[in-house]
Amino acid sequence: MAGNDSDQLRKELRRAGLSGAAIDAAWPTWWQDDLSQSPSARAELRFALARKLGLAPKPLLGERVEFVWKDKAKFKHLGTESDADREVLSSFGMSVGRLLTRAAPPGRGFSGIGADELRASILRSNEYVDLRTLSQSCWALGVPVVHLRVFPLVFKAMHAMVIGDRHVGAIMLGRDASYPALLAFTLAHEIGHLALGHVAPGSALVDIEDPVKAKEADDEEKAADEYALTLLTGSPEPEITTEMAHYNHMMLAAAVVQAAPQHRIEPGTLALCVGHLQHNWPVVISALKRIYGGPVPIWKAINTLAQDEIDWSALMDDDRIFVEALLKLGDV
């Protein structure tokens, strides 16, 4: 193909459903348009993109996009996603997840670890089970956890994803949150999927929407919810009551901060339990602002830890640049 090779290839990738941001992140930094005259360079470009985006390399040589992992994912709480969208999500997620597990420290993973056992282990050296301690536990057990800042679809359409690779797996979060407790349940839920064996090696599980807000849940989702609640609170059905019939956000914030040490439940998580039971979300969100002193970009904390834990020497230079772009490590 002549000088418009890269433009045509980008069009084919976008036509297949991939976002421009994902294509840009995967595009090799060594590529220059004058390399379009070289058949070997064009082939290397396609192999590099195929490896990172989960594409079959041979069809891509003929300008045809086929996804390698298109039938390897379970999707929870489906919305308006098409079959093509799901092919993009599963193949992209599997490819990125496998890169992450290759560069993660060795560990046994979560398989077979009960929520009570994991909670007790964390509480031996921490006051609460929270987003920070959950993230640290993931890496300590060899399970990478990252917050994706670049998504494979034009519209994000993914709350979180877990992939199975070898005996460990990887967790990729997609939900933006300004308060740690909001993302702690999501991470605990995904840990539950891994611990309970819901994700086989070579497959993925995608939570399209927030498990907390899902109207219907299958048995796996219910089990992961119970695991998460037990891990965070000590009970699959925490009994949280308030002594006051009416209260404002300042009163709620003060109450959960006071009660948290006794119950060993992080204050923000305790406030969310009240919100879930009493459906007073505006008060709860205002209380979270007071508990944490204001909103913060939670993704930065998650990806800063990932930056420190990833063995970058285990990745080829091109793959390292790709992962750095997906996590926006230049902004943390």
Side-chain angles (χ1 to χ4, degrees):
M1 187 175 288
N4 67 346
D5 176 72
S6 59
D7 290 340
Q8 183 61 37
L9 182 55
R10 285 179 180 273
K11 288 179 182 178
E12 291 299 325
L13 293 170
R14 287 196 299 269
R15 190 175 294 124
L18 286 157
S19 69
I23 297 168
D24 288 342
W27 205 266
T29 56
W30 52 260
W31 176 261
Q32 297 180 358
D33 284 342
D34 57 7
L35 293 174
S36 295
Q37 306 303 318
S38 167
S40 62
R42 295 201 305 269
E44 182 59 28
L45 170 65
R46 283 153 179 76
F47 280 116
L49 291 170
R51 184 180 66 253
K52 290 182 249 185
L53 297 174
L55 308 176
K58 287 186 177 180
L60 196 59
L61 292 172
E63 310 304 320
R64 192 175 78 255
V65 178
E66 291 185 8
F67 293 96
V68 175
W69 304 98
K70 61 182 180 180
D71 299 318
K72 299 297 184 180
K74 292 185 287 188
F75 289 83
K76 306 292 186 176
H77 317 304
L78 283 175
T80 59
E81 296 75 23
S82 66
D83 289 343
D85 291 340
R86 291 193 283 275
E87 288 183 6
V88 172
L89 281 170
S90 60
S91 289
F92 179 86
M94 283 298 302
S95 294
V96 173
R98 285 160 64 91
L99 283 176
L100 292 171
T101 57
R102 185 188 309 163
R108 60 154 292 184
F110 286 105
S111 180
I113 299 179
D116 286 322
E117 178 186 356
L118 182 56
R119 176 175 172 80
S121 176
I122 292 173
L123 292 182
R124 287 191 195 104
S125 55
N126 298 276
E127 189 172 10
Y128 309 118
V129 177
D130 57 11
L131 183 62
R132 176 185 62 83
T133 55
L134 288 175
S135 299
Q136 291 172 341
S137 297
C138 286
W139 286 102
L141 290 168
V143 177
V145 55
V146 300
H147 198 296
L148 293 178
R149 308 308 298 162
V150 173
F151 299 94
L153 298 173
V154 175
F155 298 100
K156 183 163 51 178
M158 186 193 80
H159 194 79
M161 176 185 290
V162 185
I163 71 107
D165 187 36
R166 298 175 296 165
H167 64 284
V168 283
I171 299 172
M172 288 160 282
L173 303 172
R175 176 190 185 181
D176 273 322
S178 298
Y179 304 107
L182 292 169
L183 210 53
F185 181 85
T186 297
L187 180 52
H189 178 95
E190 306 309 325
I191 289 172
H193 281 310
L194 286 173
L196 297 170
H198 296 165
V199 190
S203 67
L205 188 151
V206 185
D207 278 312
I208 294 293
E209 65 178 48
D210 188 347
V212 172
K213 298 179 180 178
K215 295 179 180 179
E216 296 182 1
D218 60 23
D219 290 343
E220 287 186 343
E221 289 298 288
K222 292 175 182 176
D225 282 347
E226 291 180 356
Y227 190 102
L229 286 170
T230 301
L231 179 53
L232 292 167
T233 72
S235 170
E237 296 180 0
E239 295 183 8
I240 308 296
T241 59
T242 56
E243 296 178 355
M244 300 166 290
H246 302 286
Y247 51 87
N248 60 29
H249 71 281
M250 291 186 293
M251 296 166 68
L252 177 60
V256 297
V257 168
Q258 182 179 7
Q262 175 187 351
H263 299 284
R264 306 292 299 272
I265 303 174
E266 191 268 330
T269 296
L270 200 51
L272 290 180
C273 289
V274 173
H276 183 67
L277 292 172
Q278 301 187 356
H279 304 288
N280 53 350
W281 292 112
V283 173
V284 169
I285 297 302
S286 295
L288 290 178
K289 183 177 181 179
R290 192 170 184 85
I291 291 167
Y292 296 115
V296 293
I298 302 302
W299 71 268
K300 288 189 176 183
I302 293 172
N303 288 351
T304 296
L305 178 60
Q307 183 177 30
D308 293 338
E309 293 287 348
I310 290 173
D311 178 6
W312 296 102
S313 67
L315 298 175
M316 295 186 294
D317 287 345
D318 202 36
D319 291 336
R320 174 184 56 77
I321 293 169
F322 176 52
V323 172
E324 289 175 341
L326 295 182
L327 307 189
K328 286 196 174 180
L329 293 185
D331 297 337
V332 301

